[in-house]
Amino acid sequence: ETLQRIVSTLVNKNDEIHNFIDMLNHTISNVQVNSSNAISELDEEFDGLYSVLHEMKGSMANTIQQEEAHKIQALQDQLSQCSRALESSEELLELAVQSLDIKNPVELLEVENLDWIVTVASAFRLSLKPKVSDSMTHMMVDFALEKRMLQAVKFLPVPKAPEIDVAACLVADNCITISWRMPEEDSRIDHFVLEYRKTNFDGLPRLKGEQRWELVDYIKATQYTLSDLRFDTKYMNLRVQACNKAVAGEYSDPVTLETKAFVFSLDSTSSHLNLKVEDTYVEWDPTGGKGQEKIKGKENKNSNTASPKRSTNSPRASARGSRDRFAGESYTVLGDTAVESGQHYWEVRAQKDCKSYSVGVTYRNPGKFDQLGKTNSSWCIHINNWLQTTFSAKHNNKAKTLDIPVPDRIGVYCDFDGGQLSFYNASSKALLHTFRTKFTQPLLPGFMIWCGGLTVTTGLQVPSAVKTLQKSENGLGGSTSSLNNVA
């Protein structure tokens, strides 16, 4: 035994080391990939910066060119005015010079207004100062400050990994509330990312044979609730990372929260032939029996090998035991997993046109003609909608009428160790009925149906409201001695 424990310990340790080696190799690969991604992102950022600078340069060069064109146009206009004035002035000068050679007084009288013409000449009204300056210093830029700012550009600090507060995490009512905190205050945190995945392994996440991570992005608070989960695995891995505007930090150390719940399917291999069973759904099929009997007969003629589904070596078969199909008016199907200890909960929804159905539990290996509630080893509630609706609790072929409305969904709570089977309105969690007894054998969920269909929901935890009601019920569930069976 000691050697066996040593071997078992070594095997487990070897598995852990192999798992850690896989994780290290995976981390090395991620480092290479993430480094390449970081360089690509850096190139994109600098290309974006170059693009902005190039755009700014083009815009500012265009402004300089516009200023150049404006000044040249103003100077050219002034040059044209000066050219015209100079031409006019030269004509007057020529006229004045010619007038100096005139000796005849009569001819001198003809140019007596020459002084007035000169006075009003455009040459004497010109401003001989350039309208614009040739200076372009107002178009100069100083990038000294910007250069210092660019030289100060560094990698944005990576947010530190959050720390998950396991004590503040809550698993209840098929929801998981996870809380975390930053190791130190960081005002640049923009949001958080939560990743989770289901697993059947306790401890660190494994790389092989695991489901992929599911992601919840852009969480602003340091707490988040995952709701409406189906706990069809034993645990949930969770991890959180903090993100600022540009970069995401490392993930927190992953935590593993236990999410074990009672999961079962309907056992189609031993259900009544008039029932069509698919995993967690059962439907009345009045023609199915004959067709299936013909198929079954052909199979028996053509093969002497037992069906793999009926093999008693499988875990499911060991839960239900080996027996023939239900027959006669026992339109029954059982769950394929037994309740042997603990507290469990599942729910049932009936179709609106369902004429008659029962929901309850039974010991293993009931008789093929037995009906739920009509034996001392089965307990159920029964709904009959044939002529008028009747609602009753049944055990040991005795019935107690329940004078309450039939809910759309029925919740079944089984406390095996406490000897209690309770039925609830699954929506309001109002108690419908409670059986109290001492269970001496494993229990299988049982369902009877006639005309219609039932949907079973498993993987559910015992709701908090049910736990509270169980504490305060104190025998007020409507049970009577006639329906109690103390084995």
Side-chain angles (χ1 to χ4, degrees), residues 94-211:
E94 183 180 355
L95 178 61
V97 171
Q98 292 175 358
S99 299
L100 291 175
D101 296 333
I102 297 174
K103 303 299 184 181
N104 190 341
V106 177
E107 292 179 355
L108 285 173
L109 290 174
E110 292 179 358
V111 295
E112 63 180 354
N113 292 329
L114 184 61
D115 59 339
W116 180 80
I117 293 174
V118 171
T119 302
V120 299
S122 59
F124 293 95
R125 291 183 285 110
L126 281 176
S127 172
L128 300 181
K129 180 180 179 181
K131 288 184 177 180
V132 294
S133 169
D134 61 353
S135 173
M136 296 294 285
T137 55
H138 63 292
M139 291 294 181
M140 302 301 291
V141 294
D142 180 11
F143 283 129
L145 176 61
E146 286 75 9
K147 287 180 180 178
R148 289 195 296 271
M149 292 176 62
L150 286 173
Q151 290 170 350
V153 171
K154 298 179 180 179
F155 292 110
L156 189 66
V158 178
K160 293 187 176 181
E163 298 174 351
I164 297 178
D165 186 0
V166 179
C169 296
L170 178 64
V171 179
D173 300 320
N174 287 77
C175 298
I176 293 179
T177 298
I178 181 170
S179 299
W180 62 88
R181 56 177 174 266
M182 295 299 296
E184 58 185 47
E185 187 175 352
D186 188 347
S187 60
R188 288 169 292 194
I189 297 298
D190 178 68
H191 65 276
F192 297 93
V193 176
L194 168 65
E195 288 192 346
Y196 66 95
R197 66 182 178 185
K198 297 177 179 180
T199 176
N200 283 316
F201 302 103
D202 191 8
L204 293 175
R206 304 186 177 203
L207 295 177
K208 296 181 179 179
E210 286 286 6
Q211 300 185 32

Side-chain angles (χ1 to χ4, degrees), residues 429-447:
K429 299 301 183 291
L431 180 64
L432 306 176
H433 186 79
T434 293
F435 291 104
R436 297 184 183 278
T437 186
K438 180 180 180 181
F439 299 120
T440 59
Q441 299 179 34
L443 297 169
L444 289 172
F447 310 89

Side-chain angles (χ1 to χ4, degrees), residues 351-369:
Q351 292 179 346
K352 291 185 178 180
D353 59 350
C354 194
K355 297 301 182 183
S356 177
Y357 61 96
S358 298
V359 177
V361 297
T362 179
Y363 287 157
R364 287 172 171 166
N365 300 321
K368 61 188 299 183
F369 297 102

Side-chain angles (χ1 to χ4, degrees), residues 1 13 18 45 60 94 158 194 259 268 280 407 422-423 428:
E1 291 179 357
K13 180 55 68 176
H18 279 300
E45 291 294 333
M60 298 178 78
E94 183 180 355
V158 178
L194 168 65
T259 57
S268 60
T280 56
S422 297
F423 299 88
S428 67

